[in-house]
Amino acid sequence: DNPVLDKLLPKHKIKVLEKLSTKLPLKVTANLISDEGYWERCCRERWSICDTSEHGGSWKSLFFERHLENIIERFIPEATDPMQVANVIPFCQGYVKRLRINQLLPPVKEPSITNEEEGSDTGSDDGIDEPTLDHFDFGFITTRLSLLEELHVIYGVKGCGMNFEWNLFQFTKRDCVSLANAVKACKTLKVFRLQRSKVDDEKVRIIISSLLDHPSLVELDLSHNLIGDRGARAVGKLINRSKLEKVNLWDNKIRAPGAQAIAHALSRNDRLTSLNLRLNRIGDEGGEAVGNALLINSTLVDLHLGSNELTEPTALTLSQVLGLNRTIKRINLCCNRIGP
Ligand SMILES: *[C@@H]1O[C@H](CO)[C@@H](O)[C@H](O)[C@H]1NC(C)=O
Ligand SMILES: *[C@@H]1O[C@H](CO)[C@@H](O)[C@H](O)[C@H]1NC(C)=O
Ligand SMILES: *[C@@H]1O[C@H](CO)[C@@H](O)[C@H](O)[C@H]1NC(C)=O
């Protein structure tokens, strides 16, 4: 209640900070102690690997970002008390800019009748059961974290081992809607990554419709999902109605029409610098469309078209682009068949 730390002589302050226990409650330390040495001790005691470069070079940010990530990654809907999250927000608020959520747990499910139907392992035709499998609602934190700039989310369970069930990897429609609203509400967000979450056309369209005209988003990463041509068209629309500079759609199901839609957006855009369409199925029709977009106009610096069944026609178009001395610096065409 009467903090005196800052009134001490520097040499005394150092001594106090060195002796201060890392077990003190965050309620006390969070807003009183800014000394990086203290937070470094807290981090090293808790995690064996710490890399501040992933946290804006700050130990204090590292501590609070990972602290909050750990709480969310262990949050079990309907079982964990939401106050557990609510209580730490006031301490984390000032120091959390990035959140990388590498797992989200589904609610604990009572064994139900559906389990006996062994035959169905697709996990997709049980639309009626879906609402019971909703995950943590990000709306709860994005409205409270006023500095949040990066959000990475994966709807799945890490290291489930022999307990594997498709249900552990289900991004439900309600998850999708609540995530879309959460991201929309977060006006400071610059980077949004939603990877490996079985995001399909319908879900990506829900998310994108809430990202249109977002005031600060510059990077969107939807790699390793199930996005097809309709989803790609939505991405094209977003490229036109946003400040996006980087788009990553690595490993989806985009074919020529989707690539053409993105190319169309690219040809009218002067912001996008990086586009990754690696491991899709755009084929030469798609490849040529992207090449032609670069011929018209572009600020693109980085282009990845690896593993897309591209052959000579695409290579020819791209060679024209290179002849024109555009801003493009890197083109990756690995795992295609462009021939000699
Ligand atoms: C969107 O498209 C319109 C024309 O179709 C163009 O004038 C505008 O600059 C585009 N905006 C972006 C951000 O690409
Ligand atoms: C294409 O680029 C030129 C200059 O590089 C610019 O003057 C022109 O407005 C651009 N066109 C479009 C459609 O962005
Ligand atoms: C290509 O771009 C470089 C750097 O911008 C410039 O020095 C060079 O003159 C350009 N060459 C042509 C043929 O436009």
Side-chain angles (χ1 to χ4, degrees):
D1 290 335
N2 298 297
V4 292
L5 187 64
D6 284 332
K7 293 181 197 139
L8 300 178
L9 291 173
K11 60 179 180 178
H12 296 152
K13 195 171 159 180
I14 290 169
K15 283 215 162 118
V16 172
L17 285 167
E18 274 172 1
K19 297 235 160 104
L20 215 53
S21 165
T22 53
K23 302 281 179 291
L24 288 170
L26 292 180
K27 199 171 129 185
V28 178
T29 55
N31 294 316
L32 280 185
I33 300 173
S34 53
D35 183 65
E36 282 282 287
Y38 175 78
W39 293 107
E40 177 171 354
R41 276 197 296 135
C42 293
C43 291
R44 291 203 188 279
E45 263 172 41
R46 214 165 138 186
W47 301 291
S48 56
I49 298 172
C50 299
D51 181 0
T52 52
S53 72
E54 302 264 290
H55 302 269
S58 155
W59 285 102
K60 192 168 184 180
S61 291
L62 189 154
F63 183 87
F64 283 100
E65 285 169 2
R66 286 185 70 174
H67 182 62
L68 188 54
E69 284 163 8
N70 284 180
I71 291 173
I72 295 171
E73 286 178 355
R74 286 177 200 155
F75 186 91
I76 304 173
E78 293 162 34
T80 311
D81 181 1
M83 288 312 284
Q84 256 195 36
V85 183
N87 286 341
V88 297
I89 298 274
F91 321 136
C92 296
Q93 229 167 20
Y95 318 102
V96 174
K97 287 192 178 168
R98 298 160 205 82
L99 280 180
R100 298 184 180 87
I101 310 298
N102 289 315
Q103 86 163 4
L104 284 169
L105 300 176
V108 182
K109 220 173 32 124
E110 302 294 321
S112 66
I113 317 146
T114 48
N115 280 0
E116 280 154 29
E117 294 167 17
E118 287 293 339
S120 84
D121 56 356
T122 56
S124 60
D125 43 13
D126 53 329
I128 311 149
D129 286 344
E130 246 189 35
T132 61
L133 292 168
D134 299 333
H135 296 83
F136 178 76
D137 179 1
F138 283 93
F140 193 74
I141 54 166
T142 54
T143 46
R144 291 172 172 82
L145 295 173
S146 52
L147 302 178
L148 195 65
E149 292 179 357
E150 279 194 42
L151 180 62
H152 309 200
V153 193
I154 294 173
Y155 285 78
V157 178
K158 275 199 296 191
C160 56
M162 293 298 284
N163 295 322
F164 172 84
E165 264 187 67
W166 278 118
N167 281 343
L168 299 178
F169 299 84
Q170 220 162 57
F171 178 46
T172 69
K173 180 121 179 250
R174 266 208 268 177
D175 282 337
C176 182
V177 171
S178 70
L179 182 65
N181 288 332
V183 173
K184 185 176 188 170
C186 189
K187 301 291 180 213
T188 48
L189 199 66
K190 291 188 178 148
V191 179
F192 178 50
R193 303 207 166 114
L194 173 60
Q195 307 171 333
R196 285 192 269 138
S197 297
K198 302 210 279 182
V199 180
D200 57 15
D201 282 346
E202 188 196 1
K203 296 200 173 89
V204 81
R205 282 153 59 99
I206 292 172
I207 288 169
I208 282 178
S209 66
S210 68
L211 288 177
L212 292 175
D213 306 314
H214 191 284
S216 54
L217 193 74
V218 290
E219 182 173 342
L220 177 68
D221 183 341
L222 297 165
S223 46
H224 311 290
N225 281 304
L226 305 171
I227 298 165
D229 291 329
R230 288 175 61 229
R233 275 194 205 107
V235 174
K237 185 170 175 191
L238 180 64
I239 288 173
N240 187 261
R241 281 187 50 192
S242 68
K243 297 194 162 74
L244 280 181
E245 289 166 13
K246 284 185 167 189
V247 172
N248 189 345
L249 295 166
W250 178 8
D251 186 15
N252 277 286
K253 298 178 156 189
I254 300 167
R255 294 176 180 273
Q260 284 163 339
I262 289 173
H264 182 71
L266 193 60
S267 66
R268 291 153 170 251
N269 176 278
D270 57 0
R271 284 208 171 100
L272 205 69
T273 58
S274 169
L275 175 65
N276 189 339
L277 290 172
R278 181 179 184 180
L279 200 52
N280 280 283
R281 298 141 199 203
I282 70 170
D284 283 320
E285 264 183 81
E288 283 179 293
V290 173
N292 285 328
L294 295 183
L295 280 177
I296 297 173
N297 207 339
S298 193
T299 40
L300 209 67
V301 176
D302 246 303
L303 175 65
H304 204 313
L305 294 175
S307 307
N308 266 296
E309 296 161 16
L310 304 176
T311 65
E312 280 167 25
T314 301
L316 276 175
T317 314
L318 290 175
S319 71
Q320 279 177 287
V321 173
L322 294 179
L324 280 176
N325 205 14
R326 295 277 181 202
T327 43
I328 191 95
K329 290 237 160 43
R330 282 170 291 273
I331 301 182
N332 194 328
L333 291 169
C334 65
C335 304
N336 285 297
R337 292 169 190 271
I338 61 170

PDB file of all heavy atoms in Angstrom, residues 267-270 296-298 326, ligand 2:
ATOM      1  N   SER A 267      -4.124  -7.014 -58.276  1.00  0.00           N
ATOM      2  CA  SER A 267      -3.860  -6.080 -59.370  1.00  0.00           C
ATOM      3  C   SER A 267      -4.397  -4.673 -59.085  1.00  0.00           C
ATOM      4  O   SER A 267      -4.059  -3.727 -59.768  1.00  0.00           O
ATOM      5  CB  SER A 267      -4.450  -6.616 -60.677  1.00  0.00           C
ATOM      6  OG  SER A 267      -5.852  -6.642 -60.575  1.00  0.00           O
ATOM      7  N   ARG A 268      -5.265  -4.572 -58.074  1.00  0.00           N
ATOM      8  CA  ARG A 268      -5.806  -3.248 -57.742  1.00  0.00           C
ATOM      9  C   ARG A 268      -5.307  -2.768 -56.393  1.00  0.00           C
ATOM     10  O   ARG A 268      -5.904  -1.900 -55.793  1.00  0.00           O
ATOM     11  CB  ARG A 268      -7.327  -3.343 -57.643  1.00  0.00           C
ATOM     12  CG  ARG A 268      -7.957  -3.588 -58.936  1.00  0.00           C
ATOM     13  CD  ARG A 268      -9.258  -4.294 -58.732  1.00  0.00           C
ATOM     14  NE  ARG A 268      -9.962  -4.319 -59.991  1.00  0.00           N
ATOM     15  CZ  ARG A 268     -11.044  -3.617 -60.258  1.00  0.00           C
ATOM     16  NH1 ARG A 268     -11.582  -2.865 -59.342  1.00  0.00           N
ATOM     17  NH2 ARG A 268     -11.598  -3.683 -61.422  1.00  0.00           N
ATOM     18  N   ASN A 269      -4.258  -3.358 -55.941  1.00  0.00           N
ATOM     19  CA  ASN A 269      -3.855  -3.091 -54.568  1.00  0.00           C
ATOM     20  C   ASN A 269      -2.449  -2.507 -54.542  1.00  0.00           C
ATOM     21  O   ASN A 269      -1.606  -2.872 -55.351  1.00  0.00           O
ATOM     22  CB  ASN A 269      -3.898  -4.425 -53.809  1.00  0.00           C
ATOM     23  CG  ASN A 269      -3.418  -4.316 -52.390  1.00  0.00           C
ATOM     24  OD1 ASN A 269      -2.233  -4.329 -52.137  1.00  0.00           O
ATOM     25  ND2 ASN A 269      -4.327  -4.199 -51.457  1.00  0.00           N
ATOM     26  N   ASP A 270      -2.213  -1.605 -53.600  1.00  0.00           N
ATOM     27  CA  ASP A 270      -0.840  -1.102 -53.506  1.00  0.00           C
ATOM     28  C   ASP A 270      -0.284  -1.197 -52.086  1.00  0.00           C
ATOM     29  O   ASP A 270       0.457  -0.346 -51.634  1.00  0.00           O
ATOM     30  CB  ASP A 270      -0.766   0.334 -54.019  1.00  0.00           C
ATOM     31  CG  ASP A 270      -1.710   1.253 -53.271  1.00  0.00           C
ATOM     32  OD1 ASP A 270      -2.414   0.772 -52.354  1.00  0.00           O
ATOM     33  OD2 ASP A 270      -1.755   2.456 -53.594  1.00  0.00           O
ATOM     34  N   ILE A 296       0.400  -5.977 -64.202  1.00  0.00           N
ATOM     35  CA  ILE A 296      -0.369  -4.731 -64.185  1.00  0.00           C
ATOM     36  C   ILE A 296       0.226  -3.772 -63.177  1.00  0.00           C
ATOM     37  O   ILE A 296       0.572  -2.658 -63.481  1.00  0.00           O
ATOM     38  CB  ILE A 296      -1.851  -4.998 -63.809  1.00  0.00           C
ATOM     39  CG1 ILE A 296      -2.490  -5.887 -64.868  1.00  0.00           C
ATOM     40  CG2 ILE A 296      -2.597  -3.693 -63.684  1.00  0.00           C
ATOM     41  CD1 ILE A 296      -3.876  -6.344 -64.504  1.00  0.00           C
ATOM     42  N   ASN A 297       0.336  -4.271 -61.988  1.00  0.00           N
ATOM     43  CA  ASN A 297       0.795  -3.385 -60.940  1.00  0.00           C
ATOM     44  C   ASN A 297       0.989  -4.163 -59.663  1.00  0.00           C
ATOM     45  O   ASN A 297       0.205  -5.031 -59.359  1.00  0.00           O
ATOM     46  CB  ASN A 297      -0.278  -2.339 -60.651  1.00  0.00           C
ATOM     47  CG  ASN A 297       0.370  -1.097 -60.116  1.00  0.00           C
ATOM     48  OD1 ASN A 297       1.482  -1.189 -59.632  1.00  0.00           O
ATOM     49  ND2 ASN A 297      -0.289   0.011 -60.215  1.00  0.00           N
ATOM     50  N   SER A 298       2.003  -3.828 -58.905  1.00  0.00           N
ATOM     51  CA  SER A 298       2.073  -4.478 -57.614  1.00  0.00           C
ATOM     52  C   SER A 298       3.184  -3.977 -56.733  1.00  0.00           C
ATOM     53  O   SER A 298       4.196  -3.491 -57.204  1.00  0.00           O
ATOM     54  CB  SER A 298       2.219  -5.977 -57.781  1.00  0.00           C
ATOM     55  OG  SER A 298       1.993  -6.574 -56.555  1.00  0.00           O
ATOM     56  N   ARG A 326       9.997  -5.076 -61.535  1.00  0.00           N
ATOM     57  CA  ARG A 326       9.027  -4.690 -60.506  1.00  0.00           C
ATOM     58  C   ARG A 326       9.685  -4.799 -59.134  1.00  0.00           C
ATOM     59  O   ARG A 326      10.836  -5.164 -59.010  1.00  0.00           O
ATOM     60  CB  ARG A 326       7.817  -5.634 -60.564  1.00  0.00           C
ATOM     61  CG  ARG A 326       7.056  -5.517 -61.843  1.00  0.00           C
ATOM     62  CD  ARG A 326       6.098  -4.356 -61.755  1.00  0.00           C
ATOM     63  NE  ARG A 326       5.328  -4.243 -62.987  1.00  0.00           N
ATOM     64  CZ  ARG A 326       4.738  -3.144 -63.386  1.00  0.00           C
ATOM     65  NH1 ARG A 326       4.832  -2.070 -62.671  1.00  0.00           N
ATOM     66  NH2 ARG A 326       4.048  -3.125 -64.497  1.00  0.00           N
TER      67      ARG A 326
HETATM   68  C1  LIG B   2       0.243   1.128 -61.138  1.00  0.00           C
HETATM   69  O1  LIG B   2       1.495   1.676 -60.808  1.00  0.00           O
HETATM   70  C2  LIG B   2       1.698   2.965 -61.289  1.00  0.00           C
HETATM   71  C3  LIG B   2       3.103   3.409 -60.935  1.00  0.00           C
HETATM   72  O2  LIG B   2       3.920   2.334 -60.666  1.00  0.00           O
HETATM   73  C4  LIG B   2       0.651   3.908 -60.726  1.00  0.00           C
HETATM   74  O3  LIG B   2       0.806   5.201 -61.282  1.00  0.00           O
HETATM   75  C5  LIG B   2      -0.729   3.381 -61.036  1.00  0.00           C
HETATM   76  O4  LIG B   2      -1.712   4.168 -60.375  1.00  0.00           O
HETATM   77  C6  LIG B   2      -0.890   1.953 -60.582  1.00  0.00           C
HETATM   78  N1  LIG B   2      -2.172   1.422 -61.017  1.00  0.00           N
HETATM   79  C7  LIG B   2      -3.011   0.791 -60.190  1.00  0.00           C
HETATM   80  C8  LIG B   2      -4.245   0.261 -60.814  1.00  0.00           C
HETATM   81  O5  LIG B   2      -2.778   0.641 -59.011  1.00  0.00           O
END
